[in-house]
């Protein structure tokens, strides 16, 4: 009896209708496309979850829609634009490349290049043998003091 | 000098960003449908057996509100009295989309709490909801006389949103139609 | 009464923190020994007061004092005792109190272990820690007081979030906070050195064990969080690139860079300015993470309930705590000269490369995490930056770093002989290539190029570390020489092997995992990776504060019984929320992961069955890194030095 009441509570929580059965494909290639597509889509009603994992009703509905479009041989781009037309770029976990997201996609490589350039300049400036000579006698004395203190403390 | 101050500059930029960010609502996702024609649908009418409601019915009499609701949704009940009041003032018609609900439960809900809707379309599967980009019931749209979506609010509306955001727009739209 | 006592203790701790921030610093300025000496007792008193406050809050939980708002919101009479004790840090206010106790603990630890440091320096370090405590105590007291009363007191609490009623969740936040807070020590040491204007190798030597300690806590905390997400959230994922996960990953990446850069600064006196900047940054990113989690700026699974007033306070604190040292830095840095020379091919250069990749990786993760906020702030619309982005940009940055992990320890300081190195390492490199080629033939067509690159990197790191340890032992006369080799050497190699193990786990599970999400009626079977799962229907079970429906899955392999898995769908009576409790059959080389989904009618359910090869290696690798860190801080060199220092101190006294 208790199971039944518990079941009804679970159903109640999930809204009015019974959950949809998971989508399964006979064709492994389609299954893979489906799985990948869901992983790259954000569940709008959840706190940062993909469509793949969410038990939310809307996620179930959208899984059904995505599965339908894959069965209808729609391309990934068509499925993506179906969702973007309705929910905006926000549904895409992989932001599309456009003017506003250029910095996002190019940024990491620009940062890496800048960092490498910085290191190159640093290494170039302190070619071996230059540094000691660059110190005037005052500084050398201070250096000696510093090193001495460093060891003693 | 520039190199020594660079970390400080980064910090300032970050602080400004975060300060602006504090004033933003991370749950607010603007709809891409704003400024676009209302998505088409043809759904059974909740109250009139055998009849259907289409997107054309929303704006049949000029700018109108389109409200997505369900009997299983407690926040829908929170905003419901506002709609009852609004309809009593006869300022703007409200068309309802009953989302993923049982028709009997929906009818009972309206009978008990009052029916502010001119028509209610029955979207049992939530298919139309997807076309409208519905993700958090209740949702409220303003559709103009041309059938173009002009505004969307996700979640229950309150007095402030109704009077400061929705009604000024509706009045402007309706004033423009009937000179 | 007890909650008022806690409140009082917290207020007194605030007063002591003021004393700790001001008096020793003034003493250091004026050369007043008595004032500087205040730092030690003040640290201890502050810790005791914070512990008292913490004990008072724990008492309120144990005694079901629902007149305390925080207790009413996070507990329930049916909640088991152990979860009532851990519920103390289950919400925002209490977790801050735990954070404070830890900060107090680190401060006292510094006070105890730094007697050998120059008096002025210690006074400055403790004062800086006092200021950090001051900020956080004020934040707790004024915006997030856990002792706030609720009138009238409810008869019953609203229970602890069911997600947090789990053993993994008992230790994950404390470890994470220990890491976050621990970086405050490296930060305080750096700020104290900046105040004094002397960035010497003593400072670097003292920073090393503290940084490593904070880093190993953070590593353990992140790993446990990932482990918890894996089995508790019920999706079988282990890293989601969620903003809150990223917020903990940022200080980890920079902290890892700091550990390496500190080694250079200590051993060679190079990169001083850079190391100071990293030490400040590691703690700055801990603060940033705290802000992101507690301000509500970003949506996340893990975020606390938030309000903007807290966000504003934390942002102000962040700006002061990071801005002031950076001002000091901008003033001091141009005058600090590094006085060492090294050749292009040397350990120093490789460490620089290590830092380039780690810091770029951190900048990338930060860019991706904050980009939606930047877009929104500029009115450019809402976007999501999720796992596909991070995987696309993060992996290419890590691959060169992995190559360096195997190479770095072989390259001599100052000047390395590339030809000699090639002669010593070509065989190891060749064996790694050969083993990888065998794997390539074995797994031909089943996996992409990246899999082999990842496995090659792991093989390369393990083999080169093994060769390094072996050669070192042989030089010291075999196992007998074990005691003469510093523990730090083994710690380093163990941590590097941990990286390799983690890479194997990540690579294999990403490439070969099988995830099925299916409808199963009683009697249905599903074969996944050679295992046959038979669904025996569901049954009812009751827990202390939840009811559950439990699916029964009998697992066989080649007709032989393996195990029976019982994933649950729990319904917590008070929070009225269904929770998925996965059931697993873990083995070192694979995990069978099952979770119960939704009922479909007629006894059928949706069921998730995942086959996760080598997934545990991910956390095993992290565990090895933690062990490596522990070995490194146990290094005799730190303790021996301390004894020497004490001897010197004794003589001068």
């Amino acid at each position: 009896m208790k199971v039944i009441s518990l079941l009804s509570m679970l159903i109640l929580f999930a809204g009015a209708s019974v959950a949809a059965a998971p989508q399964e494909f006979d064709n492994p290639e389609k299954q893979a496309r489906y799985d990948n597509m869901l992983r790259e889509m954000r569940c709008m009603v959840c706190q940062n979850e993909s469509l793949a994992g969410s038990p939310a009703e809307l996620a179930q509905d959208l899984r059904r829609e995505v599965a339908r479009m894959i069965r209808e041989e729609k391309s990934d781009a068509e499925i993506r634009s179906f969702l973007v037309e309705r929910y905006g770029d926000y549904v895409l976990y992989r932001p599309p490349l456009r003017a506003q997201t250029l910095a996002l996609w190019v940024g990491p490589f620009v940062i890496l290049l800048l960092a490498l350039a910085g290191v190159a300049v640093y290494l170039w400036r302190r070619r071996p043998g230059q540094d000691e000579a660059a110190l005037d006698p005052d500084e050398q004395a201070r250096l000696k003091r510093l090193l001495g203190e460093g060891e003693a403390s | 000098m520039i190199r020594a101050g660079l970390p400080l500059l980064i910090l300032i930029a970050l602080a400004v960003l975060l300060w602006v960010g504090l004033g933003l609502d991370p749950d607010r996702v603007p709809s891409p449908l704003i400024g676009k024609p209302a998505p088409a649908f043809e759904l059974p009418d909740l109250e009139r057996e055998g009849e259907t409601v289409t997107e054309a019915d929303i704006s049949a009499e000029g700018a109108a509100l389109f409200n997505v609701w369900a009997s299983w949704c407690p926040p829908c009940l929170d905003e419901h009295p506002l709609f009852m009041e609004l309809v009593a003032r006869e300022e703007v018609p409200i068309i309802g989309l009953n989302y993923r609900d049982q028709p009997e439960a929906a009818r009972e809900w309206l009978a008990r709490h009052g029916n502010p809707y001119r028509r209610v379309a029955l979207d049992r599967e939530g298919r139309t909801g997807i076309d409208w980009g519905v993700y958090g019931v209740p949702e409220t749209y303003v559709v103009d006389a041309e059938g173009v979506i002009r505004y969307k609010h996700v979640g229950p509306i309150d007095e402030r949103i109704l009077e400061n955001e929705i009604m000024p727009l509706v009045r402007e739209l309706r004033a423009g139609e009937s000179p | 009464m007890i909650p008022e006592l806690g409140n009082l203790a917290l207020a007194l701790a605030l007063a002591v923190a003021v004393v700790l921030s001001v008096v020793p610093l003034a003493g250091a300025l004026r050369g007043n020994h008595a004032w500087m000496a205040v730092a030690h007792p003040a640290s201890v008193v502050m810790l005791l007061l914070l512990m008292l406050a913490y004990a008072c809050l724990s008492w309120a939980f144990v005694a079901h004092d629902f007149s305390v708002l925080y207790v009413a919101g996070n507990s329930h009479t049916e909640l088991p005792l152990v979860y009532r004790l851990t519920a103390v840090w289950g919400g925002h206010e209490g977790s801050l109190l735990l954070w404070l106790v830890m900060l107090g603990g680190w401060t006292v630890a510094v006070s105890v272990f730094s007697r050998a440091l120059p008096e002025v320096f210690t006074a400055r370090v403790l004062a800086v820690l006092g200021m950090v405590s001051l900020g956080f105590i004020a934040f707790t007291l004024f915006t997030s007081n856990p002792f706030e009363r609720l009138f009238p007191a409810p008869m019953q609490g609203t229970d602890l979030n069911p997600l947090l009623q789990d053993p993994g969740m008992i230790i994950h936040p404390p470890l994470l906070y220990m890491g976050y807070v621990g970086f405050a020590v490296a930060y305080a040491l750096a700020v104290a050195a900046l105040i004094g204007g002397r960035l010497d190798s003593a400072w670097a030597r003292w920073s090393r064990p503290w940084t490593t300690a904070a880093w190993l806590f953070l590593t353990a905390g992140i790993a446990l969080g990932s482990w918890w997400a894996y089995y508790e959230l019920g999706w079988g994922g282990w890293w989601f690139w969620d903003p809150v996960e990223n917020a903990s990953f940022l200080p980890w990446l920079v902290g890892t860079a700091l550990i390496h850069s500190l080694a250079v600064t200590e051993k060679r006196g190079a990169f001083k300015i850079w190391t100071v900047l990293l030490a400040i940054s590691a703690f700055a990113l801990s603060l940033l993470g705290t802000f992101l989690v507690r301000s509500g700026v970003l949506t996340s699974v893990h975020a606390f309930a938030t309000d903007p007033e807290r966000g504003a306070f934390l942002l102000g604190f962040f700006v002061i705590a990071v801005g002031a040292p950076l001002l000091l830095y901008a003033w001091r840095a141009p005058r600090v000269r590094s006085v060492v020379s090294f050749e292009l091919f040397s350990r120093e250069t490789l460490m620089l490369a290590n830092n380039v990749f780690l810091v770029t990786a951190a900048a990338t993760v930060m860019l991706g995490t904050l980009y939606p906020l930047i877009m929104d702030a500029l009115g450019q619309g809402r976007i999501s930056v999720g796992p596909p982005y991070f995987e696309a940009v993060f992996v290419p940055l890590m691959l060169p770093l992995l190559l360096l992990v195997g190479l770095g320890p072989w390259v001599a300081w100052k000047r390395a002989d590339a030809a000699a190195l090639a002669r010593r390492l070509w065989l190891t490199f060749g064996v790694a290539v050969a083993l990888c080629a065998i794997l390539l033939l074995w797994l031909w067509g089943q996996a992409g190029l990246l899999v082999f690159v990842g496995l090659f990197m792991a093989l390369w790191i393990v083999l080169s570390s093994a060769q390094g340890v072996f050669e070192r032992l042989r030089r010291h006369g075999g196992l007998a020489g074990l005691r003469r080799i510093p523990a730090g050497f083994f710690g380093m190699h163990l941590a590097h092997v941990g990286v390799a193990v983690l890479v194997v786990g990540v690579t294999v599970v990403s490439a070969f995992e099988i995830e099925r999400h299916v409808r199963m009626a009683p009697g249905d079977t599903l074969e996944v990776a050679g295992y046959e799962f038979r669904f025996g229907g569901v049954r009812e079970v009751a827990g202390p504060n939840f009811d559950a429906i439990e699916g029964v899955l009998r697992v066989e392999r080649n007709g032989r019984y393996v195990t029976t898995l019982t994933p649950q769908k729990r319904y917590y009576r008070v929070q009225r929320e269904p929770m998925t409790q996965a059931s697993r059959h873990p083995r070192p080389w694979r995990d069978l992961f099952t979770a119960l989904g939704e009922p479909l009618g007629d006894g059928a359910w949706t069921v998730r069955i995942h086959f996760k090869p080598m997934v545990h290696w991910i956390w095993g690798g992290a565990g090895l890194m933690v062990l490596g860190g522990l070995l490194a801080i146990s290094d005799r060199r730190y303790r021996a030095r301390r004894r020497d220092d004490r001897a010197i101190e004794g003589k001068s006294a």
Side-chain angles (χ1 to χ4, degrees), chain C residues 44-283:
Chain C
V44 174
V45 173
M46 188 176 78
L47 175 62
L48 290 176
L49 286 168
L50 291 170
M51 285 168 70
L52 177 62
Y54 187 86
C56 290
L57 189 60
S58 304
W59 181 89
F61 268 96
V62 172
H64 298 300
D65 186 351
F66 296 126
S67 73
V68 176
L69 181 64
Y70 182 72
V71 179
N74 290 284
S75 188
H76 187 273
T77 43
E78 278 182 26
L79 191 67
L81 180 65
V82 58
Y83 290 130
R84 266 181 280 150
L85 287 172
T86 63
V88 174
W89 64 76
H92 167 76
E93 291 86 351
S95 64
L96 266 177
L97 196 54
L98 178 67
W99 171 290
L100 286 176
V101 171
M102 287 173 168
L103 189 52
W106 281 100
T107 309
V108 169
V110 172
S111 147
V112 169
F113 290 116
S114 66
R115 303 269 180 191
L117 281 175
E119 183 186 25
V120 177
F121 189 69
T122 312
R124 287 187 184 127
V125 173
L126 291 175
V128 171
L129 284 169
M131 291 181 209
V132 175
S133 306
L134 178 61
F136 275 107
I137 297 174
F139 178 58
T140 310
L141 211 50
F142 301 134
T143 74
S144 321
N145 194 332
F147 298 108
E148 204 166 298
R149 290 286 196 168
L150 185 60
F151 290 112
M155 294 303 293
Q156 189 51 278
T158 52
D159 209 359
L160 178 66
N161 182 346
L163 273 174
L164 306 181
Q165 297 185 29
D166 172 87
M169 212 49 204
I170 295 179
I171 33 182
H172 157 65
L175 285 173
L176 204 58
Y177 296 166
M178 279 298 274
Y180 278 159
V181 176
F183 280 130
V185 178
Y187 160 89
L189 285 160
V191 174
L194 275 177
I195 295 175
R198 283 208 333 232
L199 302 170
D200 47 29
S201 63
W203 154 68
R205 186 188 341 121
W206 275 97
S207 295
R208 283 190 78 184
W210 294 107
T211 306
T212 309
W215 176 87
L216 72 87
F217 278 117
L218 191 58
T219 310
I222 293 174
L224 257 166
S226 149
W227 167 236
W228 170 77
Y230 172 73
Y231 72 79
E232 183 69 26
L233 292 183
W235 317 321
W238 48 273
W239 190 259
F240 301 95
W241 297 101
D242 179 270
V244 170
E245 287 175 333
N246 292 350
S248 65
F249 196 37
L250 286 174
W252 188 88
L253 286 168
V254 171
T256 309
L258 176 62
I259 285 177
H260 291 87
S261 146
L262 271 172
V264 184
T265 308
E266 187 212 358
K267 292 240 164 68
R268 302 280 301 135
F271 313 160
K272 291 174 181 171
I273 303 176
W274 176 242
T275 304
V276 160
L277 196 56
L278 283 180
I280 297 171
S281 306
F283 185 57

